[in-house]
């Protein structure tokens, strides 16, 4: 970070130079509510106060200690430096490609650099230890296969036609690592010269070439955390489209702290997005019982969007979770996780933030569903897939399975076939809790969502009851996005675990009351959290008004006397 005076307002150009970042990065932080510059003059130019500079420098979610060297003496970056470095790669593409689209190119290049540097590192390690070049090249000594003509140095030394060379390398890498890397690079086309002039690609390659991304320099945990930071930044940058692949980690944390994964659990996300739920399960168990237990989890996910599928796969690889089974396809039309007999696999924990209220989905297939997802239930409505996803969720839970699903509030109270399915779920005693979340937590929408917790084997004291928690009022406010604080997450989880009424926050509702309310789960029917109206003593207020009127009349009289004396 460049030194600057602390006694004057700074322009956006000056601040971008101080932090060596693109001006759009500052605008993005402003959108997220992290900084709020003044607007000065007729053009409403942005002006930054000294406190803004201090905020940027000290905010752990952005950058910290920007004045220190980019790497330590051994060439290693810490997490903050790595975040800065990766976000600057986006600055190279900003303005040339739509912000919702260029994330996949940054992620693809980052992953390519990582596996190439790891191959070199593994090769040098075995060559030094065994002095045998063939042994050092042997496939079984490498996590990923990187053929000689695919190494990073090849594209680094390419002067012209860099985009076409990258496309060729990605094809060869895929073939050399099939099925492990199948479809990961399919949605990338660096040969489009309108999007990627050779000069732009040269800048990107030069940028990534500054550092070694081998495991000695950057651990899986460090790179994984930086990658997740990038995913969130791109989600914020993409606005509405960001919500398609990113669920706020705090929401996922609420669900995992309630579901509490155990070692060797099988965990499934039917609309996996960038893989956040699966990683939150891993992080939860790692924090509780250590990395060895966390790596015993079996992780499964399916994603329809090819670009988002690639993000999820890379996310798993960068965290060292190579065994995570991520499949591409439409979960409702073509579920990929099946038993030998063609039935749906079942899991210990299911979690999902499915795309809300999809109008076009395989309705006809659901009417005659061969997977048994509507056995005992009504068919979901033709023009809304919400309950189709939820029926798939229920069918994917094993006999002791638990699930957490993020839903729009309409799922809790809409009528028709949805009301009948909801009633059937309640009568089957599957729903353990409803949690109303604050508004503006999710990218692309300001509406609040809710979490539904399912349990096929409820504790005895929770049978035929649903705990309803209203957490709508507890959050940290941001300009564009609100967020759950640690204390907000802790309050929700504590209320679920303690399972008791809390005034204006949590209430246990039994099936009799639910039936009286026609199985409507609208949170407002069961919890009223508005502030109590102040009781007004009308008689006292009236007396006070009369006294004020007397004082006013007295003052008016004195003023008139003064005016007469002054001959007005």
């Amino acid at each position: 970070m460049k030194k600057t005076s602390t006694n004057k307002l700074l322009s956006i150009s000056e601040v971008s130079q101080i932090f060596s970042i693109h001006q759009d990065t500052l605008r993005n932080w402003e959108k997220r509510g992290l900084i709020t510059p003044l607007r000065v003059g007729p053009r409403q130019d942005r002006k930054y106060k000294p406190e803004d500079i201090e905020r940027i420098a000290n905010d752990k979610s952005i950058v910290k200690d920007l004045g220190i060297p980019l790497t330590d003496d051994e060439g290693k970056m810490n997490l903050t430096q790595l975040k800065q470095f990766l976000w600057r790669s986006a600055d190279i593409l900003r303005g040339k490609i739509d912000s919702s689209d260029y994330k996949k190119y940054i992620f693809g290049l980052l992953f390519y650099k990582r596996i190439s540097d790891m191959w070199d590192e593994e090769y040098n390690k075995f060559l030094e230890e065994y002095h045998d070049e063939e042994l050092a090249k042997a496939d079984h000594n490498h996590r990923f296969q990187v053929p000689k003509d695919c190494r990073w140095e090849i594209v680094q030394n390419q002067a012209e036609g860099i985009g076409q060379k990258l496309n060729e390398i990605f094809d060869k890498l895929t073939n050399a690592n099939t099925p492990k890397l199948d479809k990961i690079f399919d949605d990338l086309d660096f040969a489009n010269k309108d999007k990627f002039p050779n000069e732009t690609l040269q800048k990107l390659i030069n940028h990534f070439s500054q550092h070694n991304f081998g495991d000695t320099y950057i651990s899986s945990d460090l790179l994984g955390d930086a990658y997740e930071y990038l995913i969130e930044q791109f989600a914020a940058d993409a606005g509405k489209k960001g919500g398609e692949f990113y669920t706020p980690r705090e929401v996922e944390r609420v669900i995992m702290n309630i579901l509490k994964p155990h070692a060797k659990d099988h965990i499934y996300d039917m609309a996996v997005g960038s893989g956040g739920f699966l990683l939150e399960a891993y992080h939860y168990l790692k924090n509780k019982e250590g990395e060895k237990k966390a790596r015993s989890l079996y992780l499964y996910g399916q994603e329809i969007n090819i670009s988002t599928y690639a993000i999820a796969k890379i996310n798993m690889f960068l965290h060292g979770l190579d065994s995570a089974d991520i499949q591409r396809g439409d979960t409702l039309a073509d579920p990929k996780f099946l038993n030998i007999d063609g039935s749906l696999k079942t899991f210990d924990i299911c979690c999902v933030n499915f795309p809300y209220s999809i109008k076009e989905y395989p309705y006809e297939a659901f009417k005659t569903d061969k997977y048994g997802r509507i056995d005992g239930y009504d068919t979901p409505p033709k023009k809304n897939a919400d309950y189709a996803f939820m029926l798939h969720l229920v069918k994917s839970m094993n006999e002791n399975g638990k699930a957490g699903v993020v839903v729009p509030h309409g799922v809790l109270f809409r009528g028709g076939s949805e009301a009948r399915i909801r009633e059937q779920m309640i009568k089957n005693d599957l729903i353990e809790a409803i949690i109303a979340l604050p508004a503006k937590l999710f990218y692309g929408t300001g509406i609040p969502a809710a979490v539904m917790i399912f349990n096929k084997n409820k504790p005895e004291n929770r049978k035929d009851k649903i705990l309803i928690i209203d957490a709508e009022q507890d959050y940290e406010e941001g300009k564009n996005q609100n967020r759950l604080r640690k204390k907000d997450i802790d309050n929700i989880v504590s209320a679920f675990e303690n399972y008791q009424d809390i005034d204006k926050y949590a209430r246990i509702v039994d099936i009799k009351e639910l039936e009286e309310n026609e199985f409507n789960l609208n949170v407002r029917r069961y919890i009223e959290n508005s502030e109590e109206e102040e009781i007004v003593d009308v008689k006292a207020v009236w007396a006070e008004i009369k006294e004020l009127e007397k004082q006013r009349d007295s003052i008016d009289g004195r003023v008139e006397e003064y005016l007469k004396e002054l001959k007005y």
Side-chain angles (χ1 to χ4, degrees):
M1 184 174 77
K2 297 177 183 177
K3 298 292 183 183
T4 181
S5 169
T6 58
N7 57 5
K8 70 168 187 172
L9 295 177
L10 299 172
S11 69
I12 189 170
S13 175
E14 289 172 319
V15 176
S16 69
Q17 290 176 17
I18 290 169
F19 292 102
S20 300
I21 56 177
H22 196 282
Q23 292 181 20
D24 282 348
T25 301
L26 283 166
R27 296 186 183 100
N28 183 46
W29 291 344
E30 183 181 338
K31 287 179 187 176
R32 293 178 59 208
L34 297 173
I35 51 175
T36 307
L38 300 173
R39 292 303 189 111
V40 177
R43 296 191 311 170
Q44 293 292 286
D45 293 330
R46 290 174 172 84
K47 293 293 182 180
Y48 295 83
K49 305 183 294 295
E51 325 53 299
D52 294 326
I53 308 303
E54 185 177 352
R55 174 75 192 276
I56 294 170
N58 292 322
D59 194 318
K60 292 180 182 178
S61 68
I62 316 174
V63 286
K64 183 183 177 185
D65 257 338
L66 287 172
I68 64 176
L70 194 57
T71 59
D72 63 16
D73 292 339
E74 296 179 349
K76 297 178 182 179
M77 288 184 281
N78 63 32
L79 180 58
T80 300
Q81 294 160 344
L82 182 57
K83 286 177 180 179
Q84 288 176 251
F85 178 79
L86 293 178
W87 189 237
R88 283 178 191 150
S89 66
D91 290 341
I92 296 171
L93 294 182
R94 204 181 307 280
K96 301 177 179 68
I97 305 174
D98 186 76
S99 63
S100 64
D101 196 35
Y102 59 57
K103 64 182 182 298
K104 62 188 180 185
Y105 293 99
I106 298 296
F107 292 152
L109 274 180
L110 169 63
F111 183 56
Y112 167 39
K113 181 67 159 69
R114 169 69 165 180
I115 63 177
S116 181
D117 286 352
M118 285 181 64
W119 194 96
D120 290 340
E121 192 173 69
E122 291 158 350
Y123 171 82
N124 291 328
K125 174 187 172 184
F126 282 101
L127 186 63
E128 183 179 347
E129 186 172 353
Y130 297 106
H131 307 286
D132 186 326
E133 192 170 328
E134 292 305 313
L135 181 63
K137 291 179 181 177
D139 289 355
H140 61 269
N141 286 325
H142 295 276
R143 186 173 158 202
F144 297 95
Q145 308 311 314
V146 183
K148 185 176 181 180
D149 57 353
C150 293
R151 311 273 163 73
W152 182 264
E153 63 188 37
I154 299 297
V155 72
Q156 188 178 2
N157 294 327
Q158 187 86 9
E160 298 292 335
I162 297 174
Q164 185 58 44
K165 174 58 69 173
L166 280 170
N167 285 0
E168 292 171 6
I169 287 174
F170 289 156
D171 283 343
K172 291 178 180 177
L173 282 173
T174 301
N175 291 332
N177 292 274
T178 190
K180 198 172 185 178
L181 297 186
D182 286 358
K183 300 184 179 70
I184 289 249
F185 302 112
D186 283 11
D187 200 34
L188 303 184
D189 180 13
F190 282 97
N192 185 328
K193 292 185 178 179
D194 291 329
K195 285 185 176 181
F196 298 106
N198 206 66
E199 181 185 2
T200 298
L201 287 178
Q202 189 68 66
K203 287 180 181 178
L204 265 180
I205 299 301
N206 290 343
H207 181 76
F208 279 104
S209 297
Q210 293 178 60
H211 298 286
N212 190 315
F213 279 76
D215 201 44
T216 299
Y217 294 86
I218 302 174
S219 69
S220 290
D221 284 343
L222 191 69
L223 189 55
D225 287 348
Y227 184 81
E228 288 189 76
Y229 163 82
L230 267 190
I231 292 173
E232 182 179 8
Q233 296 302 301
F234 281 124
D237 223 26
K240 185 175 181 179
K241 291 183 179 180
E244 296 176 6
F245 62 88
Y246 182 81
T247 301
R249 294 297 177 253
E250 294 84 6
V251 175
E252 295 167 338
R253 199 159 297 137
V254 166
I255 290 176
M256 281 305 155
N257 275 271
I258 286 174
L259 300 180
K260 296 183 175 9
H262 294 91
K264 299 184 180 180
D265 272 355
H266 292 246
I267 300 176
Y268 168 60
D269 186 342
M270 71 175 86
V272 75
S274 59
F277 270 117
L278 302 183
L279 284 173
E280 196 55 47
Y282 166 75
H283 290 316
Y284 171 87
L285 195 55
K286 181 181 176 183
N287 291 335
K288 292 289 182 181
E289 300 187 42
E291 184 174 354
K292 185 177 180 181
K293 290 285 181 68
R295 291 193 180 279
S296 75
L297 291 172
Y298 296 87
L299 305 175
Y300 308 84
Q302 185 164 340
E303 173 57 44
I304 190 171
N305 181 286
I306 188 168
S307 176
T308 308
Y309 161 84
I311 292 173
K313 286 281 284 186
I314 292 172
N315 208 359
M316 297 299 121
F317 285 135
L318 293 184
H319 279 88
L321 300 172
D322 294 16
S323 62
D325 191 350
I326 311 295
Q327 299 288 328
R328 181 173 175 247
D330 185 337
T331 296
L332 298 182
D334 183 23
K336 297 298 184 182
F337 296 103
L338 305 174
N339 296 311
I340 295 175
D341 62 3
S343 61
L344 291 181
K345 277 185 178 294
T346 59
F347 306 88
D348 300 296
I349 289 177
C350 299
C351 45
V352 66
N353 179 16
F354 58 77
Y356 300 159
S357 305
I358 292 177
K359 296 185 184 303
E360 300 297 328
Y361 78 102
Y363 171 75
E364 294 301 329
F366 248 80
K367 285 174 66 175
T368 56
D369 185 48
K370 66 180 180 179
Y371 302 109
R373 290 176 286 193
I374 62 170
D375 291 352
Y377 293 94
D378 272 45
T379 304
K382 188 173 184 178
K383 292 296 183 180
N384 192 317
D386 289 351
Y387 269 92
F389 281 110
M390 293 185 44
L391 288 173
H392 181 91
L393 178 91
V394 168
K395 193 67 177 180
S396 298
M397 297 162 61
N398 64 28
E399 59 185 9
N400 293 308
K402 297 179 181 181
V405 53
V406 184
V407 298
H409 275 266
V411 162
L412 305 176
F413 56 76
R414 288 195 297 251
S417 62
E418 291 183 305
R420 292 189 293 274
I421 297 172
R422 187 169 59 246
E423 176 182 344
Q424 290 152 357
M425 287 179 171
I426 292 171
K427 287 182 174 178
N428 289 337
D429 204 16
L430 293 174
I431 303 171
E432 188 168 9
I434 306 291
I435 303 161
L437 297 174
K440 291 176 65 176
L441 290 182
F442 297 85
Y443 291 107
T445 178
I447 63 171
V451 169
M452 297 181 73
I453 301 296
F454 289 79
N455 190 344
K456 281 196 175 178
N457 187 18
K458 285 186 185 180
E460 200 61 38
N461 68 322
R462 301 191 180 195
K463 291 188 183 300
D464 291 321
K465 298 171 186 173
I466 296 177
L467 175 65
I468 296 180
I469 299 172
D470 185 356
E472 286 189 359
Q473 306 300 318
D474 300 332
Y475 58 91
E476 179 180 82
E477 188 172 3
K479 185 174 181 181
N480 294 306
Q481 297 298 136
N482 298 328
R483 63 180 291 272
L484 295 175
R485 300 160 295 190
K486 183 180 184 301
K487 66 178 181 179
D488 303 325
I489 297 171
D490 291 344
N491 286 341
I492 294 171
V493 175
S494 176
F496 178 84
E497 291 175 345
N498 292 334
Y499 198 73
Q500 59 188 14
D501 291 350
I502 302 172
D503 187 38
K504 296 183 182 180
Y505 188 77
R507 185 161 170 251
I508 300 166
V509 184
D510 63 29
I511 193 167
K512 182 179 179 183
E513 184 175 354
L514 294 168
E515 190 170 4
E516 290 170 355
N517 281 291
E518 299 178 324
F519 301 98
N520 186 317
L521 293 176
N522 189 342
V523 173
R524 285 289 161 267
R525 288 205 173 201
Y526 305 99
I527 298 178
E528 179 54 58
N529 71 358
S530 59
E531 294 294 325
E532 290 184 9
E533 293 185 9
E534 183 181 352
I535 298 174
V536 177
D537 186 337
V538 177
K539 188 175 181 180
V541 171
W542 182 250
E544 186 178 347
I545 291 172
K546 287 297 183 183
E547 180 61 31
L548 290 171
E549 286 178 344
K550 283 182 183 179
Q551 294 175 16
R552 182 195 64 192
D553 292 342
S554 174
I555 292 169
D556 286 348
R558 289 201 297 271
V559 170
E560 285 182 10
E561 290 177 4
Y562 294 147
L563 291 174
K564 285 178 182 178
E565 290 177 11
L566 294 170
K567 297 181 180 181
Y568 277 99

